[in-house]
Structures are given as C-alpha cells and as structure tokens.
Amino acid sequence: MIPGAPAIWREAEFRKSSFSGSNGGECVEVAQAPTMFGIRDSKNTDGPVLALPAGQAQVFLATVKRHH
C-alpha cells in the first residue's frame, strides 16, 4: 500500500472482481468499506486505490457492466 494511504484501505479485505478474467492478466480487486468502494490493480497491491463513494460506485459498476 502506498505510504500515507488511508487506514481504511490498508485494513480492507480486497477480493478479485467478478469482472476480472481467469487468465491472470488484467485483473482488479475490489473492497467495500462502510461508505466507500475501493478498486486496485491485483498485480500492484501496494499501489494506489481508486476510491469512490458508495453511491458513485454503483453508477460506475453499472456502466462497466453495460459496456463489458
């Protein structure tokens, strides 16, 4: 995790997204916090987290599903 990352993401339990392929290539991990939703690169778990408020995350995921 990047230095100074919020504790919410250092302590979060990330899981592989259902949208990630099984070929081990381009995968993302997601984590749910009380009011936030986090997305990170599964190959760079110490890297940055895209953090969205829960409501915006629902819109983001619906858009991803629609264009998948």
Side-chain angles (χ1 to χ4, degrees):
M1 186 68 44
I2 58 176
I8 193 170
W9 302 123
R10 288 193 309 267
E11 299 167 3
E13 291 188 36
F14 281 85
R15 63 177 176 79
K16 186 175 173 182
S17 169
S18 60
F19 289 106
S20 294
S22 59
N23 62 359
E26 299 174 3
C27 299
V28 297
E29 295 178 331
V30 296
Q32 182 73 44
T35 61
M36 300 291 289
F37 184 82
I39 305 165
R40 71 180 182 188
D41 183 343
S42 64
K43 296 178 297 307
N44 186 14
T45 58
D46 290 333
V49 174
L50 172 63
L52 302 169
Q56 289 181 355
Q58 291 172 347
V59 173
F60 174 80
L61 293 173
T63 302
V64 169
K65 288 178 184 178
R66 213 175 21 251
H67 295 287
H68 186 316

